[in-house]
Amino acid sequence: MTISGNVTLKKGKAFSIERRHPWVFSGAIQQMDHSIHDGSWVRVMDEKGNVLATGHYQSGSIAVRILTFGPDTPDDRFWEQRIEASLTVRNSIGLPNERTNCFRLIHGEGDSLPGLIIDYYDGVAVIQAHSLGMHVDRERIAQALNTVFKHSLRAVYYKSHSTLPKQVDDTTTKGYLLGMGGVPHVVLEHGNKYFIDWEEGQKTGFFLDQ
């Protein structure tokens, strides 16, 4: 993972990171390297130069969304490992199964990936980014999904035009990252049949009918 630079916190502002809070607010920052830009990976450091965490930087109130805690820089398998861990949790409660083949695979901070939502619809993954860092890394995330699902995914669709800053080029905020899928797409939840349209529906799919 390429780190663009360091974000140094003000004295006394490291306690939230030490308690593993996943956000760094802009008011906690003492200084940051000029090489840092919106969407880049950064190190978060205390005033003594100790590396506390790494994450995505974005201008605004929430300046850094933490993705790893500690001094180590994430390696190239970071996305695969996080997605695999989340899938293992879903598998542990029996998902997917013959009566339910759709579920939320990644739920932001709850899966240690703040700024990212991924829903699984019976062979199709729909990604929604709520931060510029996740938008920048969308192709890596799609490839990691394909690897974790052992190339069984029919499609990975990206749908973030309503969740990213308006200055982001709209042509890059929606579309297929891998494969192709037809909508509406039929899924099951507790034996109930739903028709999903991730291209035109609300959020990541929207239930059209039952």
Side-chain angles (χ1 to χ4, degrees):
M1 209 65 66
T2 301
I3 304 295
S4 293
N6 298 328
V7 170
T8 302
L9 303 182
K10 296 176 181 176
K11 185 177 181 179
K13 294 297 184 180
F15 69 92
S16 63
I17 304 301
E18 293 167 349
R19 287 167 31 214
R20 301 181 77 83
H21 192 286
W23 298 346
V24 173
F25 291 98
S26 58
I29 296 175
Q30 178 66 44
Q31 63 181 29
M32 51 186 280
D33 293 340
H34 295 299
S35 57
I36 293 172
H37 55 274
D38 280 355
S40 62
W41 280 79
V42 298
R43 293 187 193 89
V44 179
M45 309 176 70
D46 65 16
E47 77 281 4
K48 297 178 181 178
N50 299 308
V51 179
L52 304 174
T54 58
H56 284 146
Y57 175 80
Q58 181 173 328
S59 302
S61 177
I62 303 174
V64 183
R65 289 171 169 83
I66 300 300
L67 296 173
T68 66
F69 292 91
D72 295 335
T73 300
D75 62 23
D76 291 339
R77 292 199 66 246
F78 169 79
W79 295 112
E80 292 174 24
Q81 291 169 342
R82 284 294 166 87
I83 292 169
E84 188 169 23
S86 296
L87 181 59
T88 297
V89 171
R90 276 65 177 176
N91 290 164
S92 72
I93 59 172
L95 295 174
N97 58 61
E98 61 182 15
R99 289 176 52 81
T100 299
N101 56 20
C102 61
F103 54 90
R104 177 146 292 180
L105 174 63
I106 301 293
H107 198 174
E109 286 81 356
D111 289 298
S112 300
L113 290 171
L116 182 65
I117 298 294
I118 303 177
D119 286 336
Y120 176 83
Y121 295 119
D122 189 24
V124 176
V126 180
I127 300 173
Q128 189 172 80
H130 289 253
S131 72
L132 286 172
M134 292 302 180
H135 174 67
V136 171
D137 284 346
R138 63 193 183 279
E139 296 283 355
R140 294 188 182 94
I141 295 168
Q143 292 295 334
L145 280 166
N146 199 35
T147 299
V148 170
F149 279 91
K150 303 184 188 306
H151 305 283
S152 66
L153 290 176
R154 282 171 277 174
V156 176
Y157 190 77
Y158 184 62
K159 187 175 185 180
S160 303
H161 60 281
S162 64
T163 59
L164 291 170
K166 296 185 183 300
Q167 65 264 30
V168 179
D169 183 356
D170 188 64
T171 63
T172 69
T173 60
K174 54 185 175 181
Y176 288 96
L177 300 177
L178 287 173
M180 291 290 291
V183 292
H185 181 69
V186 181
V187 300
L188 293 174
E189 186 176 49
H190 301 299
N192 298 304
K193 184 184 293 184
Y194 295 94
F195 295 87
I196 306 299
D197 184 350
W198 50 76
E199 294 181 6
E200 301 297 335
Q202 296 178 11
K203 298 187 177 180
T204 64
F206 186 64
F207 295 131
L208 289 176
D209 201 355
Q210 180 178 352

